[in-house]
Amino acid sequence: MEFNLQNVIFIRLEKQDEIPYELLLLADPSKEVVDSYLKKSVVFIAKLNEETIGVVVLFSLDNNDVEIKNIAVKPQFQGKGLGSYLINSVLKNLEVKNYRNIFIGTANSSISQLYLYQKLGFKIVEIWKNFFVDNYVEPIYENGIQAKHMIRLKKEI
Ligand code: ACO
């Protein structure tokens, strides 16, 4: 069956629902790091029929600022507009509308992610030097580049 975004639903994950670790670990390879923010986050998922095909995790930084800590799409559904749909759905969410700014952080090596976030209106505001070297046990490589620094991007809501 051909994939159609109109058949995708965007819903909040409830406490009793299973946490989609397989997806979360695509965006963040450390389960310890994922668990550290998951407890204090709100999780939304994208569902197609009964299948969870995307996830986005929101973490409140303070009264004004919220952060997308994790966003991931199942590999076979990537590149079909779902990542953009998840971010746009988050921006329309009423709870998120109470914040002024939304942040997202990604590695210097995450080229397509940096492209996507900037295309959706996020602007680079900071670089957290050596974040991935200091906080992850294993070195991370993407696109032939070591993930060393976290590029922080911000969008006004
Ligand atoms: N190389 C080049 N361009 C790409 C790639 C790629 N590998 N993947 C997507 N794109 C482009 C698309 O062509 C599209 O551009 P276009 O609209 O001009 O055609 C654009 O990026 C957005 O693509 P979407 O289809 O909306 O995004 P997608 O559904 O693939 O979701 C995401 C993006 C979430 C990054 C997904 O690829 C993914 O899950 N990746 C693995 C996990 C990950 O890296 N998560 C983000 C880490 S950072 C964080 O979590 C805070």
Side-chain angles (χ1 to χ4, degrees), residues 75-93:
Q76 60 269 43
F77 294 97
Q78 289 177 10
K80 299 178 192 293
L82 196 58
S84 313
Y85 164 85
L86 283 169
I87 293 179
N88 287 327
S89 301
V90 156
L91 292 170
K92 283 190 219 144
N93 179 269

Side-chain angles (χ1 to χ4, degrees), residues 20 23 44-47 51-56 72-74 82 86:
L23 290 177
F44 291 95
I45 53 169
K47 274 189 130 177
E51 190 181 1
T52 300
I53 59 171
V55 66
V56 57
V73 168
K74 240 183 185 175
L82 196 58
L86 283 169

Side-chain angles (χ1 to χ4, degrees), residues 70-73 78-84 105 113 115-117 119:
N70 189 307
I71 175 166
V73 168
Q78 289 177 10
K80 299 178 192 293
L82 196 58
S84 313
Q113 291 81 350
Y115 161 72
L116 171 62
Y117 306 150
K119 204 177 68 164

Side-chain angles (χ1 to χ4, degrees), residues 9-131:
I9 53 168
F10 177 79
I11 48 167
R12 189 175 167 154
L13 194 79
E14 300 299 338
K15 287 214 159 52
Q16 68 274 12
D17 296 334
E18 201 184 322
I19 296 167
Y21 276 112
E22 213 177 282
L23 290 177
L24 295 165
L25 293 170
L26 292 175
D28 193 331
S30 164
K31 186 164 182 293
E32 287 72 44
V33 175
V34 170
D35 281 336
S36 72
Y37 55 68
L38 217 48
K39 281 184 242 117
K40 297 179 193 155
S41 298
V42 176
V43 181
F44 291 95
I45 53 169
K47 274 189 130 177
L48 180 64
N49 305 320
E50 282 310 301
E51 190 181 1
T52 300
I53 59 171
V55 66
V56 57
V57 177
L58 288 178
F59 181 89
S60 178
L61 297 169
D62 59 38
N63 287 342
N64 293 326
D65 299 336
V66 65
E67 176 168 348
I68 296 177
K69 280 278 191 190
N70 189 307
I71 175 166
V73 168
K74 240 183 185 175
Q76 60 269 43
F77 294 97
Q78 289 177 10
K80 299 178 192 293
L82 196 58
S84 313
Y85 164 85
L86 283 169
I87 293 179
N88 287 327
S89 301
V90 156
L91 292 170
K92 283 190 219 144
N93 179 269
L94 289 178
E95 280 174 58
V96 171
K97 280 184 181 291
N98 290 327
Y99 291 93
R100 285 198 184 161
N101 306 297
I102 185 157
F103 287 80
I104 192 161
T106 195
N108 58 288
S109 51
S110 300
I111 307 301
S112 56
Q113 291 81 350
L114 285 166
Y115 161 72
L116 171 62
Y117 306 150
Q118 290 177 90
K119 204 177 68 164
L120 293 175
F122 286 81
K123 295 196 167 63
I124 294 174
V125 286
E126 243 182 309
I127 298 176
W128 290 358
K129 288 271 197 146
N130 294 314
F131 179 87

